Amino acid sequence: MTDVIVLHGAWHQPAHYDDLVGLLRSRNLSVEVPDLYELSPVDSTALVEDLVTASERPPLVLGHSFGGVTAGMVRGAAELIFLAGWLLDVGESPAQLLEEVAKETGAPAEGLLAALDDNGRLRLDPADARKNLYGDVDEPAATRAIELLRPEPPSIFGAIPSHVSWRDTPSVYVAARDDRAIAAPLVSRFAARCSASETWETSHSPYLSRPTAVADLIHRQRRNASR
């Protein structure tokens, strides 16, 4: 039985969400955090859908940041939560949307500072990650989070959903008012695609800065979906 599936963002890994998972498990919720590293949207969706199918009842799926791309494709979930997440439509890619924002505003879209390493992967700048991912996170938690970051292939920006499920699944979008990782026009677009939306006074990573609030939201939505 799986009650909640948490999908990590790009550069992140399951260990980033340990505090949130601990809170959920303390509330007697069964939680899975699959590792989606280096998986295509199709493969990551298949992995998550296997977890959904194996559960006795439909679980809630939460996608943080780039984890939202997979969350938006997963079929069979009771509900979707996009936590400062990317919510793409069929045929859209992050690169395309960032280009659209640049054309609309006349300036490059907000984002993270990354550079190619010797293996051709994008590695985040630690100071930039501290400011733009974990701005309101306390120092010990932010330091650990930065240490856990993994380099990603540039191909992540070319991810394009082959299908979407968010049109047919109840969903909530949590927008972070101080989100410096996703451009504001995109946040508004993504939120409008969901059944409901909330705006929190946080940075891009409320699962670290406000884990209890995230756990409360999951618990509430899980309870509502079970009615």
Side-chain angles (χ1 to χ4, degrees):
M1 180 67 195
T2 301
D3 295 306
V4 182
I5 301 173
V6 177
L7 307 182
H8 64 80
W11 292 286
H12 288 65
Q13 57 180 294
H16 277 93
Y17 304 83
D18 285 350
D19 288 348
L20 175 61
V21 170
L23 282 172
L24 294 173
R25 288 176 177 163
S26 73
R27 302 182 185 196
N28 297 317
L29 293 174
S30 174
V31 188
E32 294 283 348
V33 191
D35 194 347
L36 309 181
Y37 191 53
E38 296 189 328
L39 295 182
S40 68
V42 170
D43 289 341
S44 62
T45 301
L47 174 61
V48 178
E49 287 182 346
D50 284 345
L51 295 173
V52 171
T53 302
S55 183
E56 294 178 7
R57 62 181 181 180
L60 183 150
V61 175
L62 178 147
H64 170 241
S65 196
F66 259 57
V69 176
T70 297
M73 295 174 63
V74 171
R75 290 162 291 207
E79 185 163 343
L80 305 172
I81 295 178
F82 297 89
L83 187 66
W86 285 79
L87 178 50
L88 303 182
D89 204 348
V90 174
E92 290 180 341
S93 71
Q96 171 199 333
L97 295 184
L98 291 171
E99 184 177 348
E100 288 180 9
V101 169
K103 288 180 179 179
E104 291 171 3
T105 63
E110 297 175 14
L112 301 171
L113 181 61
L116 289 173
D117 62 16
D118 293 340
N119 296 314
R121 295 176 181 276
L122 291 170
R123 189 175 296 274
L124 294 183
D125 176 80
D128 184 76
R130 178 66 175 104
K131 179 178 68 174
N132 292 327
L133 287 178
Y134 312 120
D136 62 340
V137 178
D138 65 49
E139 198 61 40
T143 297
R144 179 176 183 269
I146 292 169
E147 291 173 348
L148 288 171
L149 292 172
R150 303 181 287 193
E152 291 278 4
S155 60
I156 61 171
F157 290 100
I160 299 177
S162 58
H163 65 272
V164 295
S165 63
W166 50 263
R167 286 196 180 89
D168 306 309
T169 308
S171 58
V172 176
Y173 194 93
V174 177
R177 194 178 301 279
D178 193 28
D179 195 335
R180 300 182 182 181
I182 305 179
L186 294 180
V187 172
S188 298
R189 185 185 305 190
F190 298 155
R193 291 174 172 175
C194 290
S195 309
S197 64
E198 302 179 6
T199 300
W200 292 6
E201 301 293 334
T202 70
S203 67
H204 186 67
S205 302
Y207 72 93
L208 279 176
S209 60
R210 294 185 61 191
T212 300
V214 177
D216 288 345
L217 173 65
I218 291 171
H219 195 266
R220 181 173 70 249
Q221 298 304 123
R222 178 64 188 167
R223 186 173 59 248
N224 292 341
S226 299
R227 291 175 178 172

